[in-house]
Amino acid sequence: MKIYVIGGGAAGMLAAISAKETNPDAEVHLLEKNDKLGKKIFITGKGRGNMTNAQSIEEFFKNYVNNPRFLYSALYDFTNQDIIDLLENNGCRTKTERGDRVFPVSDHAYSITDALKHYLKKLGVEIHYKTEVKRLVIQNERVRGVETSHGRFPADRIIVATGGLAYPSTGSTGDGYRFAKDAGMNVTETYPSLVCLNVHEPDIYKLKGLSLKNISIDVTDEDGKSYYRDFGELDFIEEGLRGPVIISASAVITKYLNAYDHSKRKILTVHIDLKPALDDSQLDERLLRDFHEFRNKELRNAFTNLLPSRIISVFTERLEAKGVDINKKVTEVDKNSRKQILTLIRNFDFTLSGTGSFKEAIVTQGGVSVKDISPKTMESKKISGLYFAGEVLDVDGFTGGFNMQMAFSTGHLAGYSAAVSK
């Protein structure tokens, strides 16, 4: 049996490993168009390699935005503990950090790739670098081979693990979607996910480089419907917002900001609560205490204890735009003006204009429709012997190791299924 795995990322390497483990007599070929394996793994977890999460598998399903139930068999077939054991047994020691994120002890993502590459070689998987697959050879609804930059090769099974469109510099250029379409399969619309959010307000440039901790956000549409709420950290960048709460929010709202059909796009606003730890009465009391301390100063200079210094000028400009006189003495501030201040603290808002591009997105949302894939085997329902795994599928999740585990698990199931199928 000849099994060809297209793509040497997390899903592809696990598919090749699983296929060879399951059927040692099979010829397993791993085709990678780059000159090294796992280029995208190198940049996960900011280069530290967030390989998985230590939560129970039951908790994993809550962390996938699209089609979590599709992953049931894959995640239970090859769990987070399974990938940890595999890596540990091949020289990559692991550790668990805040948020149950699992990293190599080395704090280098290449430790993951080194361990997987070591095991691939130990098993006898044939790795072909700088080998680009041009098309799949399919006859009578069954795979027959692959046509590559180095020629055409017969294949009994093909596993497509080419990734999505995120970080195209790593080789993720959507090849798998083309293979799927050519095979008569459906591919859903794709969007950049786990990415920064761009905003309309021009005063954002004054806040570039500022980081806020212990804030909360609420993303709503023009009708007040809430799409995402979170608490944590946020960063201001030149054209918008980034940071953990924003990256997670993007996974939920990217399809509304980037919809191909403009009629499906929504006007969304990020409401930033600068003091979520205080309820309304506590916040008002805090403001009054500060006003008492700064009673001889102008209002524009009365927020140094309450807000980060970098945000005060924008905050006071926004107050002024609401009709609040920021040049009057604090003792002259009336109840209505104080209410405006409290409202702005609770709703330091930005209107979203879109998201960052695929070049900076961590994952792709959308992909090969899971309706065309058997969740128990990862095999195409339309083409015999054709399997899909990893980011190429229409499955994506939040940060924290969930997307990497999805790639490992679907890759492992695809490899096993390909090796045992008749």
Side-chain angles (χ1 to χ4, degrees):
M1 180 188 290
K2 293 184 178 181
I3 301 173
Y4 278 78
V5 181
I6 308 172
M13 285 191 280
L14 258 293
I17 285 170
S18 178
K20 194 65 176 177
E21 278 184 331
T22 304
N23 187 349
D25 295 327
E27 278 187 35
V28 179
H29 299 264
L30 180 57
L31 309 180
E32 171 54 56
K33 66 180 179 181
N34 292 309
D35 58 0
K36 61 179 69 174
L37 299 177
K39 284 192 74 173
K40 192 171 181 183
I41 293 177
F42 283 106
I43 56 178
T44 60
K46 298 181 178 179
R48 294 178 57 227
N50 182 193
M51 66 190 73
T52 188
N53 196 283
Q55 292 183 25
S56 66
I57 292 298
E58 288 80 6
E59 292 296 316
F60 268 64
F61 299 103
K62 301 175 184 177
N63 287 281
Y64 293 105
V65 179
N66 291 293
N67 302 309
R69 291 183 180 180
F70 174 79
L71 296 175
Y72 190 89
S73 293
L75 288 175
Y76 278 104
D77 169 73
F78 191 76
T79 68
N80 47 1
Q81 190 58 53
D82 289 328
I83 187 60
I84 290 170
D85 290 344
L86 189 153
L87 292 170
E88 292 266 4
N89 291 337
N90 286 278
C92 177
R93 294 172 55 221
T94 65
K95 62 180 178 179
T96 303
E97 297 187 358
R98 183 168 58 92
D100 290 319
R101 290 168 166 83
V102 183
F103 294 88
V105 168
S106 68
D107 281 329
H108 293 297
Y110 62 72
S111 296
I112 301 170
T113 307
D114 286 350
L116 295 176
K117 191 162 70 172
H118 170 266
Y119 195 33
L120 285 164
K121 290 181 177 179
K122 181 179 177 181
L123 289 170
V125 172
E126 296 187 45
I127 303 172
H128 306 265
Y129 296 102
K130 297 183 179 180
T131 302
E132 183 174 359
V133 176
K134 303 295 186 181
R135 71 181 187 93
L136 310 183
V137 181
I138 298 172
Q139 296 174 353
N140 300 321
E141 299 183 340
R142 185 173 187 85
V143 298
R144 298 298 181 187
V146 290
E147 192 173 294
T148 77
S149 53
H150 297 301
R152 181 169 170 170
F153 303 98
D156 300 299
R157 310 284 184 269
I158 296 173
I159 301 171
V160 177
T162 50
L165 291 167
Y167 286 123
S169 60
T170 64
S172 298
T173 52
D175 295 344
Y177 306 142
R178 176 168 53 84
F179 299 152
K181 289 177 180 178
D182 289 347
M185 300 175 66
N186 294 302
V187 176
T188 65
E189 292 181 2
T190 54
Y191 311 107
S193 186
L194 302 183
V195 68
C196 65
L197 299 177
N198 300 326
V199 305
H200 283 292
E201 285 74 13
D203 57 9
I204 191 76
Y205 80 92
K206 297 180 181 180
L207 300 172
K208 179 183 177 182
L210 173 64
S211 295
L212 298 179
K213 295 183 178 180
N214 302 318
I215 54 86
S216 68
I217 64 167
D218 186 9
V219 183
T220 67
D221 64 15
E222 59 268 39
D223 297 320
K225 178 182 176 181
S226 179
Y227 289 79
Y228 186 83
R229 293 177 178 175
D230 204 354
F231 174 89
E233 301 177 14
L234 175 152
D235 302 323
F236 292 94
I237 57 177
E238 187 168 355
E239 296 182 348
L241 307 168
R242 195 167 52 193
V245 297
I246 295 299
I247 296 298
S248 294
S250 75
V252 176
I253 63 176
T254 184
K255 61 185 176 183
Y256 300 114
L257 296 173
N258 296 303
Y260 293 20
D261 182 348
H262 282 232
S263 67
K264 294 181 179 180
R265 293 191 180 185
K266 295 184 179 293
I267 299 173
L268 300 177
T269 299
V270 177
H271 306 275
I272 304 173
D273 185 343
L274 299 171
K275 294 293 177 182
L278 303 177
D279 63 27
D280 290 345
S281 62
Q282 290 172 330
L283 182 58
D284 193 23
E285 289 174 7
R286 169 66 193 275
L287 188 62
L288 289 171
R289 287 201 305 272
D290 284 1
F291 278 7
H292 179 73
E293 181 177 347
F294 298 111
R295 57 188 176 278
N296 295 320
K297 293 191 174 185
E298 295 177 342
L299 179 60
R300 67 166 68 241
N301 297 316
F303 300 106
T304 54
N305 289 347
L306 187 65
L307 302 173
S309 58
R310 285 283 309 281
I311 211 172
I312 291 175
S313 64
V314 174
F315 186 86
T316 53
E317 285 171 6
R318 289 191 174 193
L319 274 181
E320 195 169 32
K322 291 177 179 290
V324 176
D325 185 352
I326 62 173
N327 297 307
K328 66 169 55 174
K329 288 289 182 67
V330 169
T331 52
E332 299 172 357
V333 175
D334 57 27
K335 188 175 182 180
N336 182 61
S337 293
R338 198 169 85 242
K339 184 178 179 181
Q340 292 274 37
I341 295 167
L342 293 171
T343 299
L344 186 57
I345 292 172
R346 287 281 188 242
N347 297 276
F348 193 69
D349 298 349
F350 290 91
T351 311
L352 299 178
S353 60
T355 70
S357 68
F358 280 113
K359 289 183 179 180
E360 56 203 73
I362 296 174
V363 299
T364 304
Q365 188 168 110
V368 177
S369 174
V370 298
K371 293 179 181 178
D372 290 345
I373 305 289
S374 168
K376 294 184 178 180
T377 63
M378 297 295 128
E379 185 176 18
S380 166
K381 293 179 180 178
K382 297 186 175 183
I383 305 297
S384 180
L386 179 59
Y387 302 78
F388 290 83
E391 193 181 338
V392 72
L393 296 165
D394 181 15
V395 183
D396 63 285
F398 295 118
T399 58
F402 302 104
N403 290 293
M404 186 84 91
Q405 182 64 50
M406 182 273 290
F408 288 139
S409 294
T410 56
H412 189 273
L413 182 55
Y416 170 81
S417 302
V420 299
S421 64
K422 303 297 184 182

